[in-house]
Amino acid sequence: METDLHELLRSLRVWDPAVTELPPLDPAGAPGDPLELFTRWFAEAVAAGEREPHTVSLATADAEGLPDARIVMLHGADADGWAFATHADSRKGRHLAARPYAALVFYWPVLGRQVRLRGPVAVAPADQARADLHARSTGALAAALTGRQSAELDSPEELARASQAAWERAEREPDAPVPSWTLYRLRPVEVEFFQGEARRRHVRLTYRRTEEEEGWDRRLLWP
């Protein structure tokens, strides 16, 4: 029987009480720096059993301003920004070269939480990109060595051959260089923390950098 997409959508619900906890967010008790709250929320997502809390939606725009989005992994977060990595010649790498500004969205449904960030993106020094890549798994290195991300692929067999050669090199040369591998850091000008609430009185706490960039201004938003 053919699936009725609209009927299926109407049957779904978010934040099932059997599997979801909606903890309160007291804006008055939130720290002054969003990184501190993000770190706390990230640890709580891990403790709550969120399967892949480090995955994040990355939105960029091309040279004409057309938006694009995909899922990447968070590689770190500190005073220099939230870090992710890709090939400089990939689609998102080309977007960031043309328009070095992006947005990130984390979603942790087990706690009914989102974190949204946007701001300028800078390229980290090459030695930091190398250290980041070689601290990861053999599979991550093999994927990076396979290269040609976002380029057109002639056949699955072509990918299989390139991937096999990349795996063999990654196992043979665990420090193999990948010149196109680039570490990026998004330094947010705005960070929003969204906490779901059962009666839809969701809490949206936003941090905006002050004009002097010496601190953060905190505001609440209507849900």
Side-chain angles (χ1 to χ4, degrees):
M1 189 170 91
E2 187 175 348
T3 300
D4 184 324
L5 176 60
H6 294 92
E7 187 66 28
L8 182 59
L9 286 170
R10 284 192 291 271
S11 73
L12 299 174
R13 294 294 181 268
V14 297
W15 306 334
D16 180 352
V19 296
T20 304
E21 177 189 359
L22 295 176
L25 169 59
D26 177 13
D33 190 322
L35 179 58
E36 182 180 343
L37 183 54
F38 176 84
T39 302
R40 183 189 308 167
W41 272 27
F42 188 86
E44 289 172 357
V46 173
E50 194 68 65
R51 295 292 295 272
E52 296 180 352
H54 58 318
T55 56
V56 56
S57 298
L58 166 67
T60 58
D62 64 17
E64 287 72 43
L66 297 176
D68 205 348
R70 74 290 286 163
I71 305 297
V72 298
M73 285 200 312
L74 179 69
H75 286 222
D78 54 28
D80 293 326
W82 274 249
F84 58 92
T86 188
H87 292 279
D89 54 0
S90 68
R91 179 180 295 179
K92 51 188 172 294
R94 296 193 303 271
H95 287 184
L96 291 169
R99 292 175 177 262
Y101 203 94
L104 297 172
V105 182
F106 295 86
Y107 179 45
W108 300 317
V110 72
L111 295 171
R113 287 174 169 172
Q114 297 181 53
V115 181
R116 302 170 60 220
L117 310 94
R118 61 178 180 168
V121 177
V123 173
D127 61 326
Q128 294 182 16
R130 287 193 298 271
D132 172 79
L133 177 60
H134 294 124
R136 300 176 67 203
S137 66
T138 301
L141 176 58
L145 287 167
T146 302
R148 288 182 279 179
Q149 190 177 67
S150 302
E152 290 190 6
L153 177 67
D154 289 335
S155 69
E157 291 75 22
E158 181 185 23
L159 172 60
R161 289 192 296 271
S163 176
Q164 181 62 32
W167 271 90
E168 291 173 359
R169 186 179 178 195
E171 291 169 343
R172 185 175 65 252
E173 300 177 51
D175 294 324
V178 183
S180 62
W181 188 253
T182 306
L183 184 67
Y184 296 91
R185 288 197 178 92
L186 185 151
R187 187 172 186 268
V189 296
E190 183 175 356
V191 184
E192 179 189 318
F193 294 85
F194 173 102
Q195 175 59 67
E197 199 272 337
R199 295 183 65 83
R200 302 302 191 265
R201 299 166 184 166
H202 313 312
V203 179
R204 294 178 62 189
L205 174 63
T206 183
Y207 291 73
R208 296 190 181 103
R209 285 195 188 272
T210 60
E211 291 186 6
E212 298 80 14
E213 294 201 356
E214 296 178 355
W216 296 89
D217 178 51
R218 289 183 294 172
R219 300 291 175 89
L220 290 173
L221 303 178
W222 281 83

